[in-house]
Amino acid sequence: METATPTLTLGTTDVTVPPLAIGTWAWGDSLFWGYGKEYSEPQLKEAFDAAIASGVNFFDTAEIYGLGNSERFLGQFMKQTEQPVSIASKYMPLPWRFSAQSVHDAITDSLNRLQVEHIALYQVHMPFDFFMGKKTLMEALAAEVKRGRIGAIGVSNYSAQQMREAHGYLAAQGVSLAVNQVRYALINREIETNGILDTARELEVTILAYSPLAQGLLTGKYTPDNADTVTGARKFDPKFSRHGLARLSPIIQKLQQIGDTYDRTPAQVALNWLMAQGNVIPLPGAKNAEQARQNAGAIGWAMTDEEWTQIDLLTRSYR
């Protein structure tokens, strides 16, 4: 059945965003993603425009993505649209960043690259403390919320206990923890059993799910018949081997079967399944307009409870 496109509130903050975000790790990154070979700035601009046109105006970036290029591209593209855009960026707690001032300086640098005065969501990229300590880090971020330069605070790759600690330090400052960005997909469901998802629900923290299509495994693009054509790092992942893809086939077939009912792709069904849980925002990447439109096609419709459960049971034991 068709439904109106919803919005979600991040945690208990007043920051509202679409139920799906666009990941921009690949924007300007030539080391891991081959920027400048298979795609370049024009394709990224088309991806940005297509996402905005589809109602997805929430983009996740980080200061280290493309060594700042991802933020710079978003800044350029935002200057060329009159539509509102919500940005999530990330701070990397590197060992030599040992004072609160390093947090403030990093935010200033991100704001300058993005050419904005405010970032909707600012996240700690990794749960490293080093010499600063989590308390100092969280207090510095809370000060930035009060200052008005960031709207909400998130963490990324935090365990249940680390999330609880961060939540406590922020609460002492009168600020809430809004997000934990973690790996979560139909075939990567560790957060359901290691306490992260349960703790997030208890603390009213939104899950921002990165790699929600498991590096493309859930798109149906990779099959046992074309396993020999897999390139890059995927060649070394047993999930992309002929045997691994054969094992995945029943899941892809189920996603295709349900997708056919709604004129949707397996990837759109997989993303929609995550969104249907509530308070989970998938974060697929997009390097061109077609990928951005495909991602947006996961929004605005709902499978039945029975279909959701069928997918749940089929993928629950996948490892």
Side-chain angles (χ1 to χ4, degrees):
M1 60 182 177
E2 296 289 331
T3 60
T5 302
T7 58
L8 278 180
T9 300
L10 297 180
T12 59
T13 71
D14 59 0
V15 178
T16 58
V17 295
L20 182 141
I22 298 295
T24 64
W25 179 13
W27 291 26
D29 187 289
S30 57
L31 181 61
F32 292 102
W33 293 101
Y35 172 79
K37 296 178 181 177
E38 297 179 2
Y39 65 101
S40 56
E41 183 176 345
Q43 286 73 46
L44 300 181
K45 178 61 163 59
E46 290 168 2
F48 177 87
D49 291 340
I52 296 293
S54 301
V56 180
N57 65 345
F58 185 27
F59 296 85
D60 178 84
T61 184
E63 60 176 357
I64 66 168
Y65 290 173
L67 301 178
N69 283 330
S70 177
E71 288 182 329
R72 292 188 190 96
F73 281 133
L74 281 168
Q76 294 171 24
F77 300 161
M78 284 191 288
K79 287 293 184 182
Q80 300 170 35
T81 181
E82 297 180 356
Q83 300 299 316
V85 177
S86 294
I87 296 295
S89 195
K90 303 183 200 72
Y91 166 87
M92 181 61 79
L94 299 164
W96 52 87
R97 288 176 158 175
F98 52 82
S99 71
Q101 188 59 46
S102 67
V103 179
H104 305 311
D105 291 345
I107 291 175
T108 297
D109 291 342
S110 284
L111 290 170
N112 288 339
R113 285 188 291 266
L114 290 162
Q115 301 181 59
V116 296
E117 297 180 353
H118 174 87
I119 298 172
L121 173 66
Y122 197 68
Q123 305 153 99
V124 182
H125 208 142
M126 293 287 180
F128 302 145
D129 291 334
F130 295 111
F131 304 110
M132 182 184 300
K134 196 176 276 84
K135 183 174 185 288
T136 299
L137 175 55
M138 293 301 151
E139 288 178 350
L141 292 170
E144 289 288 355
V145 170
K146 296 172 183 177
R147 186 177 176 181
R149 297 209 298 174
I150 61 177
I153 297 168
V155 293
S156 181
N157 300 298
Y158 271 45
S159 69
Q161 181 58 34
Q162 290 165 336
M163 183 169 41
R164 195 177 294 278
E165 291 173 10
H167 180 274
Y169 287 131
L170 291 174
Q173 299 296 314
V175 177
S176 64
L177 177 64
V179 160
N180 189 6
Q181 183 176 148
V182 290
R183 183 187 304 274
Y184 189 27
L186 274 172
I187 57 173
N188 296 117
R189 300 176 62 172
E190 291 83 358
I191 71 166
E192 298 175 0
T193 55
N194 64 13
I196 291 177
L197 187 58
D198 289 341
T199 302
R201 287 171 175 165
E202 175 194 339
L203 300 178
E204 298 183 87
V205 171
T206 298
I207 292 293
L208 196 51
Y210 71 77
S211 198
L213 297 175
Q215 293 189 302
L217 278 171
L218 294 172
T219 64
K221 172 183 176 181
Y222 301 99
T223 68
D225 292 338
N226 65 21
D228 293 339
T229 66
V230 173
T231 60
R234 292 183 177 92
K235 290 184 66 173
F236 306 100
D237 186 338
K239 290 187 177 70
F240 287 89
S241 68
R242 191 178 303 276
H243 173 74
L245 292 169
R247 186 165 165 264
L248 184 68
S249 291
I251 294 173
I252 299 300
Q253 290 169 9
K254 174 56 69 175
L255 296 177
Q256 184 68 63
Q257 175 191 339
I258 293 174
D260 288 345
T261 303
Y262 303 95
D263 194 24
R264 307 289 170 167
T265 65
Q268 290 165 344
V269 176
L271 295 173
N272 187 275
W273 185 92
L274 288 172
M275 290 189 290
Q277 298 188 64
N279 218 29
V280 175
I281 299 177
L283 179 56
K287 294 181 290 187
N288 56 56
E290 178 56 28
Q291 290 175 351
R293 284 190 288 266
Q294 279 286 316
N295 293 338
I299 303 173
W301 60 280
M303 68 185 81
T304 66
D305 290 344
E306 180 181 358
E307 290 165 337
W308 189 94
T309 300
Q310 288 173 357
I311 295 172
D312 178 47
L313 294 175
L314 184 61
T315 58
R316 184 177 293 276
S317 61
Y318 182 89
R319 291 290 184 274

